[in-house]
Amino acid sequence: MDLRTVNELLAGSVGGAAQVLVGQPLDTVKTRAQIAPKGMFKGPMDILRQTLRNEGFLALYKGMASPLIGIAGVNSLLFASYGISKRIISPFPQLSLPQIAAAGAMAGAANAVLASPVEMFKVRMQGQYGAQGDKRLREVVREEWSKYGFRNGIMRGYWVTIVREIPAYAGFYAAFEFSKRKFAGKYGKDIPVWALLASGSTGGIAYWLSCYPFDVVKSRVQQRSTPPSGNPVRYISHELRTIIAESGFPGLFKGLTPSLLRSIPAAASTFAAFEITREYLLGLTGV
């Protein structure tokens, strides 16, 4: 394996762990806004208040085990796929922003392979509200595997995850690189850490604005007690129509505010951790 890819895998793992630790509480609020029964909450702040009052502070970290266990693989795959995609698109290191977006889209498609099961079990855990019958992660995994197997259980929501990840990471990487280049024009190669944090935040906001309705669909599909029926185009379009019928067009953007708020520290910490680790490994290995 190319040593550059190894370095990207390692740096991606560090960035992914930072993302989960920083962003999980607001991710829980976002997911509950998307999947909670109608009328259960009045809005994101009510979700936060009720969660803290009824379940305690640690409930905001429900479902963290799934991404924390899987994040090394997910982010390693993402960053490595992005690096490989850039090298496929152009042999030159400085790509145009459209080329960056294309590489991000390719990386997003590859990333869905691991992101789908990680998201699946995170959503299932976040959709438990502190009742006596709430299940542990291993019980949820065992139940999905025994009832529905790998394709309809473990990988439920895979196709809508792909549909989400392609525009999401095209927007993410294009916005991140645009911001980073603006700072590089001012500071040169020695971009300060705060500028990396700001660039990561810009990318995180672009991520959600590029894909949010499909994230709502993904969460609802993965929270169902049974797998969706029909081909992916049919069940995704059916879910979109159902959301609009239930809540109107704004229903496609339930939980967007906590997502955007989460993206600022989470994406910032992810890319700052990745870039710092990548620079360290560059100095260590020379590539």
Side-chain angles (χ1 to χ4, degrees):
M1 184 184 290
D2 190 322
L3 189 55
R4 290 175 296 180
T5 302
V6 173
N7 287 347
E8 285 155 357
L9 288 167
L10 293 172
S13 298
V14 175
Q19 174 189 331
V20 174
L21 293 171
V22 170
Q24 186 68 16
L26 283 171
D27 186 79
T28 298
V29 174
K30 179 266 294 185
T31 302
R32 289 186 167 188
Q34 294 174 337
I35 65 175
K38 193 172 182 179
M40 186 172 184
F41 300 112
K42 297 176 183 177
M45 287 304 298
D46 188 45
I47 295 172
L48 182 61
R49 281 194 298 268
Q50 287 201 44
T51 299
L52 291 173
R53 184 175 66 241
N54 299 332
E55 303 170 65
F57 177 75
L58 291 180
L60 294 172
Y61 288 88
K62 274 188 176 179
M64 188 175 75
S66 176
L68 200 56
I69 292 168
I71 201 67
V74 171
N75 272 51
S76 293
L77 177 60
L78 173 66
F79 284 108
S81 298
Y82 177 61
I84 292 168
S85 298
K86 287 197 296 183
R87 293 190 282 273
I88 289 172
I89 289 172
S90 173
F92 304 105
Q94 188 76 352
L95 276 65
S96 67
L97 289 179
Q99 288 175 320
I100 289 288
M106 293 166 64
N111 187 57
V113 175
L114 291 181
S116 181
V118 168
E119 286 281 310
M120 163 70 179
F121 294 112
K122 175 181 70 69
V123 167
R124 298 303 288 268
M125 296 301 293
Q126 289 171 328
Q128 299 184 128
Y129 301 99
Q132 191 172 0
D134 282 1
K135 300 179 178 70
R136 295 179 180 274
L137 176 60
R138 63 176 178 269
E139 294 172 315
V140 176
V141 174
R142 190 186 307 121
E143 182 179 73
E144 286 298 311
W145 176 263
S146 62
K147 282 187 177 181
Y148 304 111
F150 181 74
R151 181 181 175 185
N152 291 320
I154 305 299
M155 295 297 289
R156 185 185 306 178
Y158 170 67
W159 289 107
V160 69
T161 303
I162 288 182
V163 172
R164 182 192 75 163
E165 299 286 77
I166 289 174
Y169 281 109
F172 185 101
Y173 279 108
F176 173 74
E177 195 64 31
F178 174 81
S179 178
K180 184 181 169 185
R181 289 179 185 184
K182 287 293 184 181
F183 284 119
K186 182 176 182 180
Y187 294 103
K189 290 183 66 177
D190 297 323
I191 302 175
V193 172
W194 69 262
L196 287 176
L197 293 170
S199 298
S201 298
T202 302
I205 291 169
Y207 175 102
W208 288 116
L209 294 178
S210 299
C211 75
Y212 198 79
F214 294 111
D215 187 69
V216 178
V217 172
K218 177 200 69 65
S219 294
R220 286 169 60 106
V221 166
Q222 291 176 328
Q223 176 60 14
R224 282 181 176 180
S225 58
T226 57
S229 58
N231 63 53
V233 173
R234 182 174 299 173
Y235 79 68
I236 292 171
S237 60
H238 171 76
E239 199 66 46
L240 287 169
R241 289 194 301 270
T242 302
I243 293 167
I244 293 171
E246 290 175 354
S247 309
F249 187 74
L252 296 173
F253 296 91
K254 276 186 177 179
L256 178 59
T257 299
S259 294
L260 293 176
L261 291 174
R262 169 186 177 269
S263 70
I264 294 171
S269 60
T270 300
F271 271 80
F274 173 81
E275 292 284 337
I276 291 168
T277 306
R278 185 69 185 85
E279 287 299 315
Y280 172 77
L281 293 172
L282 176 63
L284 197 66
T285 63
V287 294

